[in-house]
Amino acid sequence: MRKYPVTWFYILAFGMSWLGMISAVLASRGIAPFNSPYFQLLSIFYAVGSALAAMIVSQVTHGKTGIRDLNKGLIRWRVSLIWYIVAVLGSAILLIVAQAVTKLLGFSVTIAVPPVNLSPYVIFGLGVNFLATTCEEIGWRGFALPHLQKRYNALIATLIVGILWGLWHLPLVFLVGHPMSEFPFLWFISIAANAFIYTWIYNSTKGSILLVALFHGSLNVWGLFITGVSPVAYALLNCVVAIALIAVLGKTNLSRRERVLAG
């Protein structure tokens, strides 16, 4: 593990996360005993698996110092106000533009999103969403990205993180009723391309896990309110944004600042 920390991170992240999500997939198909509430509790590992993997590998490789360095990004909140605006509203702009492209090019939208009623349960769910995305980002951007950027430029590191992040979502393709089950390849392209935005935010904020988690959580929330987005339009737009970031900022850092490297 000390010799191959990134490899072990992904082995543990996939193993623990898929343990939880496979149980949820089986439950969604009414397969006993996984439809029992006790088995469904395992789905929590899907949310926290990447964070647990990052902490385990950090502890084994660098002890308490590794855990402390990993957690620094969670409290890195002293960044320019513009990055908070990007994190909260950037995802909304992305979806609004994708919605406009959907209408302009006449793409079909076959996934119906029910209207959101801001009940206490929904508000609680939104809070859980931000907790889950923070756990994800501790692993993907907090651990994997800076370790890979230590060896590769930001472009290659982001491609690796994005592709593996997309594959990590694979169990959702088999979850009954989930949007990813209808257009899995398009969603994979969207996730892999979307990773370039996360790298841009992460490197531009000197490694703030807080800011990338805020962007991630906001994207999930805005997706409930900004409907009528075709998966084709969303995938195309994410690819265009990724190419624009590479062209403007360069492949070395994908940021005006130096890329963040693991200590």
Side-chain angles (χ1 to χ4, degrees), residues 9-27 34 39-40 42-50 52-53 136 140 163-175 180 188:
F9 161 73
Y10 277 111
I11 290 172
L12 292 173
F14 272 70
M16 288 187 286
S17 297
W18 282 16
L19 170 68
M21 188 43 66
I22 288 173
S23 65
V25 169
L26 295 175
F34 296 97
F39 273 96
Q40 290 177 38
L42 288 172
S43 63
I44 193 173
F45 281 101
Y46 186 67
V48 304
S50 60
L52 286 176
E136 274 194 57
W140 310 140
I163 290 170
L164 291 174
W165 186 32
L167 291 174
W168 178 79
H169 287 82
L170 184 61
L172 296 180
V173 173
F174 305 97
L175 187 66
M180 286 187 68
F188 173 79

Side-chain angles (χ1 to χ4, degrees), residues 225-249:
F225 297 92
I226 304 170
T227 58
V229 176
S230 164
V232 177
Y234 187 62
L236 282 173
L237 183 61
N238 274 297
C239 288
V240 169
V241 172
I243 293 170
L245 288 173
I246 296 166
V248 173
L249 301 171

Side-chain angles (χ1 to χ4, degrees), residues 105-119:
L105 299 182
F107 290 133
S108 61
V109 181
T110 57
I111 300 172
V113 179
V116 178
N117 177 19
L118 291 179
S119 66

Side-chain angles (χ1 to χ4, degrees), residues 90-124:
S91 52
I93 294 171
L94 190 69
L95 290 168
I96 290 170
V97 174
Q99 184 187 63
V101 172
T102 299
K103 294 177 180 177
L104 182 65
L105 299 182
F107 290 133
S108 61
V109 181
T110 57
I111 300 172
V113 179
V116 178
N117 177 19
L118 291 179
S119 66
Y121 298 104
V122 172
I123 294 172
F124 174 75

Side-chain angles (χ1 to χ4, degrees), residues 31-236:
I31 299 175
F34 296 97
N35 52 2
S36 162
Y38 298 105
F39 273 96
Q40 290 177 38
L41 284 174
L42 288 172
S43 63
I44 193 173
F45 281 101
Y46 186 67
V48 304
S50 60
L52 286 176
M55 289 189 287
I56 290 170
V57 177
S58 296
Q59 174 65 41
V60 171
T61 55
H62 294 98
K64 292 181 179 179
T65 302
I67 297 294
R68 185 173 64 249
D69 290 343
L70 181 66
N71 290 331
K72 280 181 181 177
L74 285 173
I75 57 175
R76 187 164 286 118
W77 61 273
R78 290 185 176 181
V79 300
S80 172
L81 177 62
I82 188 64
W83 291 109
Y84 282 95
I85 295 173
V86 168
V88 175
L89 298 181
S91 52
I93 294 171
L94 190 69
L95 290 168
I96 290 170
V97 174
Q99 184 187 63
V101 172
T102 299
K103 294 177 180 177
L104 182 65
L105 299 182
F107 290 133
S108 61
V109 181
T110 57
I111 300 172
V113 179
V116 178
N117 177 19
L118 291 179
S119 66
Y121 298 104
V122 172
I123 294 172
F124 174 75
L126 296 178
V128 172
N129 159 66
F130 279 102
L131 179 62
T133 55
T134 300
C135 288
E136 274 194 57
E137 294 310 327
I138 289 172
W140 310 140
R141 257 57 64 167
F143 183 89
L145 182 62
H147 275 80
L148 287 166
Q149 287 189 147
K150 192 173 182 179
R151 184 173 181 180
Y152 307 103
N153 63 36
L155 171 61
I156 300 300
T158 302
L159 280 173
I160 295 171
V161 171
I163 290 170
L164 291 174
W165 186 32
L167 291 174
W168 178 79
H169 287 82
L170 184 61
L172 296 180
V173 173
F174 305 97
L175 187 66
V176 174
H178 196 277
M180 286 187 68
S181 64
E182 192 166 352
F183 301 101
F185 181 71
L186 288 174
W187 280 105
F188 173 79
I189 294 297
S190 295
I191 292 168
N194 198 233
F196 285 85
I197 300 177
Y198 288 77
T199 296
W200 171 53
I201 296 173
Y202 181 78
N203 285 339
S204 297
T205 57
K206 297 183 179 180
S208 175
I209 299 172
L210 177 65
L211 266 293
V212 291
L214 188 58
F215 177 82
H216 192 161
S218 297
L219 183 60
N220 291 347
V221 172
W222 287 120
L224 297 175
F225 297 92
I226 304 170
T227 58
V229 176
S230 164
V232 177
Y234 187 62
L236 282 173

